[in-house]
């Protein structure tokens, strides 16, 4: 008997002992279901507290590194051949100044001002990794180390 089948038999016997099975089962699926029920009922996995999670993270910071990813939001002021650049620049600078005074308005201003479809989602672009966006935007994001918002 292999270790796996020995452990399975012990679980089956426990399922019989707690009346999840009657002991005469021939159907493997019925036994599997009873073992799953037994495990769900008797195996308790404690949830760590915030303090325990913080301590674990501090002791194992390398486990939380997932490569170069940033979470980005933006307001796109699109420039096309017929765009009056000084007017767009003034509009963008006014938006920036307003956001510096009241950062909580970012999502509303993205919805109002952005020329990108992400404006409907508060300017949220989600997680961005290398190669996901145009090189100029990628360089700015990773060079500046924009924090998640």
């Amino acid at each position: 008997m292999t270790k796996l089948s020995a452990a399975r038999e012990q679980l089956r016997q426990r399922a019989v002992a707690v009346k999840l099975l009657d002991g005469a089962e021939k159907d493997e699926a019925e036994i599997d279901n009873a073992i799953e029920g037994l495990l769900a009922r008797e195996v308790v996995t404690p949830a760590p507290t915030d303090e325990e999670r913080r301590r674990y993270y501090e002791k194992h910071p390398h486990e939380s590194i997932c490569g170069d990813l940033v979470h980005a939001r933006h307001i796109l002021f699109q420039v096309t051949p017929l765009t009056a650049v000084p007017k767009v620049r003034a509009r963008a600078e006014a938006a920036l100044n307003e956001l510096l005074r009241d950062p909580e308005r970012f999502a509303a201003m993205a919805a109002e001002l952005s020329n990108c479809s992400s404006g409907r989602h508060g300017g949220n672009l989600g997680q961005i990794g290398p190669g996901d966006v145009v090189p100029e935007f990628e360089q700015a994001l990773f060079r500046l180390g924009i924090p998640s918002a």
Side-chain angles (χ1 to χ4, degrees):
M1 181 180 287
T2 67
K3 288 182 183 181
L4 180 60
S5 61
R8 187 174 190 281
E9 177 57 23
Q10 288 179 327
L11 290 168
R12 187 196 67 77
Q13 289 175 14
R14 176 68 182 154
V16 169
V18 297
K19 311 244 185 282
L20 292 174
L21 291 170
D22 65 14
E25 295 73 30
K26 301 282 190 243
D27 182 10
E28 293 296 314
E30 185 180 356
I31 295 170
D32 289 343
N33 288 337
I35 289 173
E36 287 297 320
L38 174 71
L39 293 173
R41 185 174 110 176
E42 294 192 359
V43 176
V44 177
T45 304
T49 65
D50 287 343
E51 176 63 22
E52 289 167 330
R53 284 191 288 267
R54 185 190 58 73
R55 276 198 320 264
Y56 183 87
Y57 173 78
E58 288 174 355
K59 288 181 182 176
H60 306 91
H62 60 282
E63 292 179 13
S64 298
I65 298 171
C66 61
D68 289 335
L69 287 177
V70 293
H71 178 262
R73 300 184 306 166
H74 79 153
I75 298 174
L76 177 66
F77 293 93
Q78 187 175 19
V79 176
T80 63
L82 300 176
T83 302
V85 175
K87 185 176 179 180
V88 172
R89 181 184 306 267
R91 187 172 160 204
E93 287 176 358
L96 176 60
N97 288 329
E98 184 174 342
L99 288 170
L100 289 172
R101 286 188 305 274
D102 188 6
E104 297 300 315
R105 292 223 346 102
F106 191 94
M109 289 182 69
E112 176 188 336
L113 300 173
S114 187
N115 291 107
C116 178
S117 60
S118 68
R120 292 189 301 263
H121 308 286
N124 188 2
L125 297 174
Q127 288 187 334
I128 296 174
D132 289 344
V133 293
V134 297
E136 298 82 4
F137 188 45
E138 177 182 311
Q139 289 170 2
L141 286 173
F142 290 100
R143 182 182 66 242
L144 297 173
I146 305 294
S148 293

